[in-house]
Amino acid sequence: MQDHVTGRVAIAAFPSAAAVLVPRTLARLGNDHPGLIVEFGETSSPTQLRQLRAHRIDVAVIGVGPDLPAYDFEGLRRDLLLDGGLLLAVPANHRFAGRGTIPVTELRDEPWIVGKGLRDDPQFGAWPTLDHPRIADAAKKWPTRLGLVATGLGIAVLPEVAAAAVPTGVRIIQVDDPAWLGRASVAVTVRDRSPEVTATVEALCHEAAQLRAAS
């Protein structure tokens, strides 16, 4: 990593990446590059890519996967941050809570807490391969969704990148689902990176590796 990068950089992330990965990255940048001014915003992946192409942000942290839109990355550069993971958030007193992994077939009759937002923004719904899930409630923000889970109103899909941010009263478990092909979190920038952008992506990659090691 280059030493003592200065200047300004704008980074955005989808909400679950903004819960843990980006705050840790901002702290690392503040320690390694105290002269670097970092602007941060939280928004959907499609909005980030539009902002990146319009030069309103410098680094986009987005989610990609077979169940998400096929984004246009022409002329852009991508770095894989985290690969894999959707988890399940359940109340601490739920019958799943003491189990490390459950088969997807056991999810069929569960009530789900799902995301709610603008019509064109990707949302986390019920488990991706379930047909006709029972939706108990919907909320825009992750703290609200996880709060609804904690009170026993339903269970929720949780991206692995946000697992370290679950509140008291919520337990995280894995789902055994051979039909689920996975998602990934990636950092997207223009091809020719400035020193500020390079330092930011390197910090993201470092903190993502720390999250992988701790999982």
Side-chain angles (χ1 to χ4, degrees), residues 14-159:
F14 65 98
S16 50
V20 179
L21 175 60
V22 173
R24 293 186 181 187
T25 298
L26 298 182
R28 172 163 290 277
L29 287 171
N31 181 69
D32 293 345
H33 306 286
L36 180 63
I37 300 171
V38 183
E39 300 173 358
F40 169 60
E42 177 184 323
T43 189
S44 69
S45 296
T47 298
Q48 288 184 66
L49 291 175
R50 290 194 294 268
Q51 292 175 340
L52 182 64
R53 292 190 182 280
H55 305 290
R56 293 171 56 192
I57 63 172
D58 304 297
V59 182
V61 179
I62 73 168
V64 295
D67 62 324
L68 294 174
Y71 300 123
D72 177 13
F73 294 112
E74 184 177 356
L76 301 176
R77 182 174 170 184
R78 287 172 287 171
D79 284 76
L80 177 65
L81 300 174
L82 292 166
D83 190 8
L86 283 185
L87 303 173
L88 199 65
V90 304
N93 60 355
H94 194 279
R95 69 183 187 281
F96 294 160
R99 299 165 62 181
T101 303
I102 62 165
V104 67
T105 52
E106 294 193 30
L107 300 179
R108 288 174 181 158
D109 297 324
E110 292 295 317
W112 291 90
I113 309 298
V114 300
K116 177 174 66 175
L118 298 176
R119 184 171 59 182
D120 294 335
D121 288 348
Q123 295 295 330
F124 285 93
W127 190 261
T129 63
L130 287 182
D131 292 327
H132 309 297
R134 180 159 61 97
I135 307 302
D137 213 333
K140 183 177 180 181
K141 298 293 187 180
W142 277 108
T144 304
R145 272 178 258 175
L146 293 175
L148 293 169
V149 171
T151 56
L153 295 178
I155 65 176
V157 168
L158 183 74

